Amino acid sequence: MGNITRKSFLQQCFGLGTLALLSPMISHAQYINASEENFYQQIVQANNKEVARLLTVFSTDITEIKRRLGFDLANLAAAYCEAKSDYYQKEELVGAMTKIIRFLKKAQQEDGTLNLGNLASPPDTAFILDPLCVATTLLKHNASPVLTPLLSLLKEFILKAGESLRVGGIHTPNHRWVVSAALAQINALFPNKAYVARIDEWLSENIYIDSDGHFLERSMIYSEVTDRCLITIARLLKRPKLLEPVRKNLNLTYFYMEPNGDLVTTDSRRQDQFMTINALPFYHDYRYLAIHDNNAEYAAITKFIENVKGFDEKIMVDLLPFFLEEPLYLKPLPAVQNPSVHFEKFFKTTNLVRIRRNDTTSTIFGGADFPLVIASGRSTSPNLFTFRKGEAILKYMRFSTDFFSTGYFRSNGITYKDGKYILHQSIEAPYYQPLPKQFKKANGDYKHAPSTDGRFWNKMDFAHRPQSNIKTIDTTISIEEKNGVHELMFTSKGSEGVSVTIELCFKEGGKLSGVKEIESSPNNYFFEGETASYDFGKDSIYFDSGIKKHSKIKGLEGEMYSSHFGSLKMDGMFVYLTGITPFEHKMTIR
């Protein structure tokens, strides 16, 4: 691909239209750069606005423990310490900060933890300690004697909380690094070899990152948490090797980034596999390493994130305390070098394919955790294909059969052959014969166990029963991409007369043409014509070759969900293609 300009990169790659690009950050006196002052002034002004709001909020009593209180105190501390702020050394800020820390001290458990998210939780307490320690760092460097009582309260709270982190436990993989980062911050304020020893104990378990760049949880939410925590530990304890997994994860994150800043989460093991999240929280991580490593591509991604919708409200509003606490953030970014906007990447560790052609992207997913078990901490998404063209978004495509209520198709991986990505699943559903004589019990009380196909449980001792009348269904879906056009071939065979359904979920708020709305079910449509389209703003997705052989569109999730009245249906506009096995159907999406 030929070189493009920085502005064209941001417009084409991320679909942003005309951008008022922000200049890189200025620093304190030693880094001052006149051309960058505008961005820093915007950060200060965002803080001014937030502090004005906070002074109103904290004019009344605090009634709820929440992580945001830590950021509130940090923003007030930054305003108090920044000479450019409208609130520089204003004593009314000291009163608000004191109210926050007194409330937190009152809520603090005997062991130093807070009931925050979870009961008496060391990791949740660690999350709030991050901004509180930043605030304390800023205030300690301020010479104002009026801060002495406030700093004393902060020290008492932090040290008591620190002891809970030094001995307390965790729940999930990222919690190890959240706790360790908080201990590193506490140690920077109040040095204690015991804090470092506990960090080393957690680090001795080693930080897993796979060959593609996924941490254990494969979650974009918690990857960012891990990245930021490892950066904190690396810089405060001078452990530069901890930045290596961060770089690897940030490299992967770019390829998972959509033109509008959304992130692909289909292969996540956490709650975000069914959520829409974006790249905004990664801003600190990309900016830090762009400057630290003089990484031109990270600099370009940093500038892009500054223009993602919500940056001002969700990121800039909290930047001042962190930029004041870590001077590196205030240094100029290196000159940008545009990452590729034309790629095809097969992430084999999670059977996920990302294809990008400027502002057109697609994701193919073939499953990641086998065998399929519906449980927290496992990847279970049935979203086999997604497609975006500017603002027009196919949120997901799924395939379902009513074969013994086994529900959505979930591929057993991806193979690549002759330019096609091939997804495959084969399911067997047996009938059971009487138990052999040696396994029969006089009281009829047999082992409570799952059926051999995993669909249900009962006291039938299925494992010891002979099987007969075994039914099968074998489904193959191949996807081939050529310059943004995707050809999909569906083949489902084995048992005959099985209803199959192709489900397309488009972003809500668009306009569908060439499909027929189901009268009894708004926002649900059948597609049985030759061509159809979905329009959102100026962008359109076209798809062809409809088919309708039945009208069953409920219960597509299968028995594992329906037995608990669960649903995987997301918000959107739904288009259905239906058939009967043996089923063979080809369609294109562009």
Side-chain angles (χ1 to χ4, degrees):
M1 181 177 180
N3 291 333
I4 60 176
T5 67
R6 174 186 176 188
K7 184 174 181 179
S8 296
F9 159 71
L10 289 166
Q11 291 176 333
Q12 294 177 20
C13 173
F14 303 113
L16 288 174
T18 302
L19 300 175
L21 294 177
L22 301 178
S23 300
M25 178 58 113
I26 72 161
S27 70
H28 284 180
Q30 65 267 39
Y31 302 128
I32 287 176
N33 183 321
S35 65
E36 299 161 352
E37 188 171 356
N38 180 53
F39 188 29
Y40 189 69
Q41 286 299 329
Q42 290 183 56
I43 291 174
V44 174
Q45 289 304 315
N47 177 263
N48 284 338
K49 184 177 179 180
E50 176 67 0
V51 168
R53 185 187 71 83
L54 293 176
L55 290 175
T56 299
V57 168
F58 294 117
S59 64
T60 58
D61 291 339
I62 306 172
T63 58
E64 181 182 359
I65 306 174
K66 50 187 178 181
R67 289 185 192 175
R68 187 67 210 172
L69 288 172
F71 290 94
D72 293 341
L73 201 152
N75 276 313
L76 292 165
Y80 188 88
C81 297
E82 171 53 67
K84 294 179 181 292
S85 170
D86 292 347
Y87 295 92
Y88 178 56
Q89 294 193 342
K90 293 289 182 67
E91 288 196 22
E92 59 184 320
L93 273 61
V94 179
M97 288 187 282
T98 300
K99 176 177 282 191
I100 294 171
I101 193 58
R102 286 192 184 279
F103 175 80
L104 291 175
K105 276 180 60 60
K106 185 177 180 180
Q108 194 171 30
Q109 303 294 303
E110 187 61 34
D111 67 354
T113 60
L114 293 169
N115 287 337
L116 180 66
N118 293 287
L119 295 176
S121 167
D124 287 299
T125 304
F127 276 113
I128 201 172
L129 280 168
D130 173 25
L132 283 180
C133 287
V134 170
T136 305
T137 300
L138 300 182
L139 295 171
K140 279 188 71 174
H141 286 88
N142 191 293
S144 176
V146 74
L147 296 175
T148 300
L150 171 61
L151 284 168
S152 178
L153 292 170
L154 284 164
K155 181 178 181 179
E156 290 173 13
F157 177 86
I158 290 170
L159 288 177
K160 188 174 182 179
E163 185 61 16
S164 75
L165 304 191
R166 189 186 67 80
V167 300
I170 50 89
H171 286 144
T172 60
N174 75 87
H175 284 172
R176 295 170 296 176
W177 322 131
V178 172
V179 167
S180 295
L183 286 171
Q185 290 174 302
I186 299 170
N187 182 71
L189 287 165
F190 312 109
N192 185 334
K193 291 181 180 180
Y195 297 148
V196 180
R198 185 62 163 179
I199 294 170
D200 286 336
E201 188 172 5
W202 287 121
L203 287 174
S204 69
E205 296 185 6
N206 296 314
I207 301 161
Y208 175 82
I209 190 160
D210 69 24
S211 58
D212 285 331
H214 294 284
F215 293 114
L216 279 172
E217 292 165 290
R218 294 202 307 260
S219 160
M220 286 295 165
I221 291 176
Y222 296 110
S223 289
E224 192 286 320
V225 169
T226 298
D227 287 338
R228 197 180 310 198
C229 289
L230 293 180
I231 289 173
T232 296
I233 302 166
R235 68 183 178 85
L236 293 179
L237 296 185
K238 298 187 179 358
R239 307 279 183 91
K241 286 188 177 181
L242 294 179
L243 297 178
E244 293 175 7
V246 178
R247 295 183 184 99
K248 196 169 184 178
N249 180 254
L250 293 182
N251 291 341
L252 173 139
T253 300
Y254 170 71
F255 290 108
Y256 276 51
M257 206 175 291
E258 296 286 9
N260 68 347
D262 287 349
L263 293 170
V264 172
T265 59
T266 316
D267 53 358
S268 171
R269 283 178 164 146
R270 297 296 301 272
Q271 65 268 32
D272 55 335
Q273 65 184 288
F274 296 112
M275 296 168 61
T276 299
I277 64 171
N278 62 33
L280 288 174
F282 283 90
Y283 179 77
H284 295 76
D285 314 317
Y286 279 113
R287 186 176 189 99
Y288 183 89
L289 282 175
I291 298 168
H292 182 278
D293 293 355
N294 195 34
N295 187 312
E297 288 195 351
Y298 285 2
I301 298 169
T302 300
K303 299 308 297 179
F304 157 65
I305 295 176
E306 289 174 3
N307 289 277
V308 169
K309 184 179 180 181
F311 178 80
D312 290 351
E313 299 86 356
K314 297 179 180 179
I315 302 300
M316 184 178 283
V317 68
D318 292 328
L319 285 183
L320 188 59
F322 295 94
F323 277 45
L324 292 178
E325 186 256 351
E326 172 48 69
L328 182 140
Y329 284 119
L330 298 164
K331 293 183 178 181
L333 285 165
V336 303
Q337 178 178 322
N338 306 322
S340 173
V341 296
H342 189 92
F343 59 77
E344 185 169 334
K345 296 278 290 184
F346 185 179
F347 296 95
K348 293 185 179 181
T349 59
T350 58
N351 293 299
L352 186 139
V353 177
R354 284 284 292 157
I355 302 172
R356 187 167 197 159
R357 312 296 182 213
N358 292 325
D359 66 345
T360 298
T361 67
S362 57
T363 304
I364 304 167
F365 182 53
D369 289 335
F370 307 107
L372 175 67
V373 176
I374 305 301
S376 176
R378 295 181 66 87
S379 172
T380 61
S381 174
N383 298 352
L384 64 96
F385 179 74
T386 69
F387 181 70
R388 295 184 177 218
K389 195 159 70 174
E391 292 185 284
I393 299 174
L394 172 62
K395 296 170 74 170
Y396 60 76
M397 174 188 286
R398 298 172 178 172
F399 184 89
S400 180
T401 76
D402 68 354
F403 179 75
F404 290 90
S405 298
T406 49
Y408 282 126
F409 166 92
R410 288 177 169 88
S411 181
N412 189 32
I414 294 180
T415 57
Y416 182 72
K417 184 178 180 181
D418 299 329
K420 298 178 181 179
Y421 294 98
I422 300 170
L423 314 179
H424 176 258
Q425 181 188 43
S426 183
I427 303 174
E428 290 187 349
Y431 287 87
Y432 300 96
Q433 293 289 332
L435 274 171
K437 184 176 181 179
Q438 65 268 33
F439 298 114
K440 292 180 180 178
K441 294 184 177 182
N443 63 0
D445 187 13
Y446 298 105
K447 181 180 180 180
H448 189 223
S451 60
T452 57
D453 55 16
R455 292 189 296 117
F456 60 94
W457 287 64
N458 218 313
K459 293 179 71 67
M460 292 281 289
D461 197 6
F462 293 106
H464 290 130
R465 291 178 180 273
Q467 299 178 1
S468 67
N469 311 85
I470 297 173
K471 306 302 178 183
T472 65
I473 192 162
D474 190 277
T475 301
T476 299
I477 302 172
S478 69
I479 303 173
E480 183 176 14
E481 186 271 347
K482 294 180 180 179
N483 298 318
V485 179
H486 295 75
E487 182 177 281
L488 297 93
M489 173 64 76
F490 302 84
T491 303
S492 197
K493 58 186 179 181
S495 297
E496 297 186 4
V498 176
S499 298
V500 302
T501 302
I502 302 170
E503 179 184 37
L504 289 76
C505 174
F506 293 94
K507 180 181 177 181
E508 56 274 23
K511 179 183 178 183
L512 283 162
S513 303
V515 297
K516 184 177 181 181
E517 187 168 19
I518 303 171
E519 292 184 5
S520 60
S521 186
N523 282 326
N524 291 277
Y525 304 79
F526 284 122
F527 174 38
E528 52 186 319
E530 294 184 3
T531 62
S533 65
Y534 166 80
D535 305 310
F536 196 103
K538 60 181 175 56
D539 299 306
S540 300
I541 294 173
Y542 302 94
F543 49 106
D544 62 22
S545 304
I547 182 172
K548 180 176 179 287
K549 297 296 183 181
H550 67 81
S551 301
K552 300 175 184 177
I553 62 170
K554 293 184 178 180
L556 300 180
E557 293 87 350
E559 189 170 4
M560 283 185 287
Y561 290 91
S562 64
S563 64
H564 292 84
F565 309 101
S567 173
L568 290 178
K569 196 168 185 177
M570 300 173 67
D571 293 335
M573 305 174 70
F574 295 86
V575 175
Y576 298 96
L577 294 78
T578 64
I580 305 292
T581 60
F583 179 73
E584 187 170 285
H585 187 74
K586 181 171 70 175
M587 66 183 299
T588 62
I589 296 178
R590 58 185 174 85

